[in-house]
């Protein structure tokens, strides 16, 4: 039985192997068919995509060819138009050349005629000269000498004026750097100018307050004026009274005191004295603070408190409308800038510029000039000797010993003379303008004259029947000479002579 079992088992195994082989072969064939189908499909898709790309490329190439042909056509059209334009220009140039040749021929003919006429004029001139010499009994050389003598007189005067003008220009050119330095210093300093007057206005809440200020039989106003040392003006000005005093410190104390009395409402002699005393102390504090603040603004340190207090009094003083404390600060800044540019001692220059008008704060009972008073006061409180010299010498009352003293004087002149710093006296301005116009009117043949541009130009209208064009030029020169000889003025004055001729007729 065992062999049969083994045989059956062997056959079964063979049959299983055969079936497994056929099954695996069948699966392999199916896999091969699927791969061939996928490859054929991929190949088909690739061919279709390549065909589309080829079609797109052909379309793009066709468009490029069409646009190129259009561009070539446009370029050919432009070249054609340009060629036509060049042909027209060439024809125009040929025409112009022909015209120029024709004009040259005409000019040659005219030149010949002019040369012939010039020869005739020369002969006529010689004939006239011989006739003039015969009539005048003077040769041309003699006449030339007389004429040259007259011209020489005129030329010498003009030469002197020209030489003077050249010297002035040379001096101005030599001072160019100094002017630039001063201009830079002015531009770097900007201060406000406060215009003060000798009166102060105190506003009132109502008109009834005027009666309370005056008091019964005027006792309140008399007590206030006597204690404050001012004049109180009660007039028709609505809701205001005026305090008048030439001492600005006393005037400010009186103004603050009266304002405080009006606010308090208790106006009687005893209270007036108390308020004035309080405001006097407050004013001393304000003056001290003003001096300290000004010294800080000017960059000046190490000054005695008494010197600062005296400088603070300048807050309430003015000169030609220019506040003296602001002027001192401005001069200090200008002096510092100039000293830095010139390599001098900046601190000494600043102190000299800041304290140069210290004497203007002194009481009027002290005798002496403000420069000397200020120098003595500064020396008393330990100010450096170079600064004391700058204070005393800024008006040349003593000799200037240092370059810082010269810088302080220059800064003072710049601050006071710059445009807008001070007001010109109206009477002096009108007098100068009238003198200029009267001088112009004094010449013969002048109809009217006008001084304009603040006296920097004078325009003169002459009578045309008396002054001709040549005489107008001579008149302008003569007036300019007289102005130079008789008047003092800054800069230059322009003289303009106007001559107008009018012809008038009436149709009847």
């Amino acid at each position: 039985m065992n062999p049969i079992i083994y045989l059956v088992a062997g056959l079964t195994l063979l049959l299983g192997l055969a079936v497994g082989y056929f099954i695996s072969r069948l699966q392999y064939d199916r896999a091969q068919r699927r791969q061939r189908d996928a490859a054929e499909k991929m190949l088909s898709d690739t061919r279709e995509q390549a065909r589309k790309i080829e079609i797109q490329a052909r379309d793009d190439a066709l468009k490029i060819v069409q646009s190129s042909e259009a561009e070539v056509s446009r370029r050919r059209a432009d070249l054609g138009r340009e060629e036509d334009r060049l042909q027209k220009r060439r024809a125009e140039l040929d025409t112009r050349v022909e015209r120029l040749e024709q004009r040259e021929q005409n000019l040659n003919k005219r030149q010949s005629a002019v040369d012939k006429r010039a020869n005739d004029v020369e002969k006529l001139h010689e004939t006239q000269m011989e006739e003039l010499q015969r009539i005048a009994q003077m040769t041309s050389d003699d006449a030339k000498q007389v004429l040259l003598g007259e011209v020489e007189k005129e030329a010498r005067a003009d030469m002197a004026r020209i030489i003077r003008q050249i010297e002035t220009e040379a001096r101005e050119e030599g001072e160019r750097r100094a002017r630039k330095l001063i201009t830079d210093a002015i531009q770097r300093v900007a201060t406000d100018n406060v215009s003060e007057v000798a009166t102060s206005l105190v506003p009132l809440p109502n008109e009834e307050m005027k009666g309370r200020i005056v008091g019964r039989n005027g006792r309140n106003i008399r007590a206030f004026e006597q204690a404050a040392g001012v004049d109180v003006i009660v007039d028709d000005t609505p809701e205001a009274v005026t305090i008048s005093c030439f001492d600005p410190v006393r005037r400010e104390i009186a103004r603050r005191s009266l304002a405080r009395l009006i606010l308090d409402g208790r106006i009687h002699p005893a209270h007036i004295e108390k308020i004035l005393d309080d405001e006097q102390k407050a004013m001393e504090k304000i003056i001290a603070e003003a001096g300290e603040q000004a010294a800080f603004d000017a960059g000046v340190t190490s000054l005695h408190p008494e010197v600062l207090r005296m400088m603070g009094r300048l807050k309430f003083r003015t000169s030609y409308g220019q506040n003296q404390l602001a002027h001192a600060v401005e001069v200090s800044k200008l002096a510092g800038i100039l000293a830095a540019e010139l390599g001098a001692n900046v601190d000494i220059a600043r102190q000299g510029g800041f304290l140069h008008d210290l004497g203007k704060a002194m009481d009027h009972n002290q005798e002496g000039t403000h420069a000397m008073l200020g120098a003595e006061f500064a020396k008393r409180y330990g100010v450096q000797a170079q600064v004391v010299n700058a204070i005393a010498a800024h008006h040349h009352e003593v000799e200037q010993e240092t370059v810082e003293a010269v810088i302080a004087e220059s800064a003072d002149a710049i601050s006071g003379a710059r445009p807008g710093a001070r007001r010109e006296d109206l009477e002096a301005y009108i007098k100068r303008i009238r003198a200029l116009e009267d001088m112009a009117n004094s010449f013969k043949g002048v109809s009217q004259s006008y001084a304009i541009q603040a006296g920097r130009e004078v325009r003169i209208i002459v009578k045309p029947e008396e002054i001709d064009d040549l005489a107008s030029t001579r008149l302008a020169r003569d007036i300019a000479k007289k102005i130079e000889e008789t008047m003092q003025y800054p800069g230059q004055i322009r003289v303009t002579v106007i001559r107008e001729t009018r012809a008038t007729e009436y149709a009847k």
Side-chain angles (χ1 to χ4, degrees), residues 278-291:
D278 293 342
E279 290 300 327
Q280 176 73 31
K281 296 177 181 177
M283 181 57 67
E284 290 295 331
K285 184 178 179 181
I286 291 173
I287 289 173
E289 291 177 352

Side-chain angles (χ1 to χ4, degrees), residues 89-133:
R89 290 295 299 274
R90 190 177 293 111
E92 291 177 357
L93 290 175
D94 293 339
T95 305
R96 289 184 180 181
V97 170
E98 293 177 358
R99 290 178 181 175
L100 289 175
E101 292 176 352
Q102 184 66 29
R103 185 175 297 177
E104 185 177 2
Q105 294 176 0
N106 295 335
L107 288 176
N108 292 332
K109 293 179 181 179
R110 289 184 181 181
Q111 185 65 35
S112 300
V114 169
D115 294 340
K116 183 178 179 182
R117 185 171 297 179
N119 294 330
D120 296 340
V121 170
E122 184 66 26
K123 293 179 180 179
L124 182 61
H125 176 67
E126 293 177 357
T127 304
Q128 289 179 347
M129 287 296 296
E130 293 175 356
E131 184 66 19
L132 287 173
Q133 292 178 9

Side-chain angles (χ1 to χ4, degrees), residues 55 65 108 161 272 308 322 356 399 413 435 474:
I55 294 173
V65 171
N108 292 332
R161 187 176 69 255
I272 288 173
L308 294 177
Q322 187 178 31
H356 77 285
E399 185 179 356
R474 185 173 299 174

Side-chain angles (χ1 to χ4, degrees), residues 469-489:
D469 291 340
L470 183 60
S472 299
T473 304
R474 185 173 299 174
L475 178 63
R477 184 179 56 189
D478 294 341
I479 293 176
K481 286 181 180 179
K482 189 170 182 180
I483 292 174
E484 292 175 357
E485 295 170 356
T486 59
M487 294 187 66
Q488 293 183 354
Y489 52 89

Side-chain angles (χ1 to χ4, degrees), residues 182-223:
I182 292 172
T183 303
D184 292 341
I186 292 174
Q187 290 176 348
R188 289 174 60 184
V189 176
T191 57
D192 296 330
N193 294 316
V194 181
S195 178
E196 298 287 347
V197 294
T199 59
S200 297
L201 198 68
V202 180
L204 303 178
N206 51 60
E207 288 295 318
E208 296 178 357
M209 186 59 68
K210 290 184 178 180
R212 299 182 60 185
I213 292 173
V214 174
R216 181 178 298 177
N217 298 325
R219 66 170 188 169
N220 291 344
I221 193 170
R222 283 197 302 271

Side-chain angles (χ1 to χ4, degrees), residues 26 37 45 54 69 92 97 102 115 125 138 154-155 217 236 238 254 282 293-294 307 312 362 385 397 408 416 420 463:
L26 181 61
D37 293 341
D45 293 341
E54 183 181 2
E69 292 177 353
E92 291 177 357
V97 170
Q102 184 66 29
D115 294 340
H125 176 67
M138 182 184 297
E154 294 288 337
N217 298 325
D236 295 335
Q293 183 62 41
V307 176
M362 303 295 176
E397 297 178 18
K463 301 175 182 178

Side-chain angles (χ1 to χ4, degrees), residues 443-447 460-476 478-479 497-501:
F443 284 81
K444 183 180 178 181
V446 175
S447 174
I460 302 155
I461 301 175
V462 299
K463 301 175 182 178
E465 62 274 8
E466 298 182 10
I467 303 293
D468 58 10
D469 291 340
L470 183 60
S472 299
T473 304
R474 185 173 299 174
L475 178 63
D478 294 341
I479 293 176
V497 176
I498 301 172
R499 180 179 181 271
E500 181 182 19
T501 302

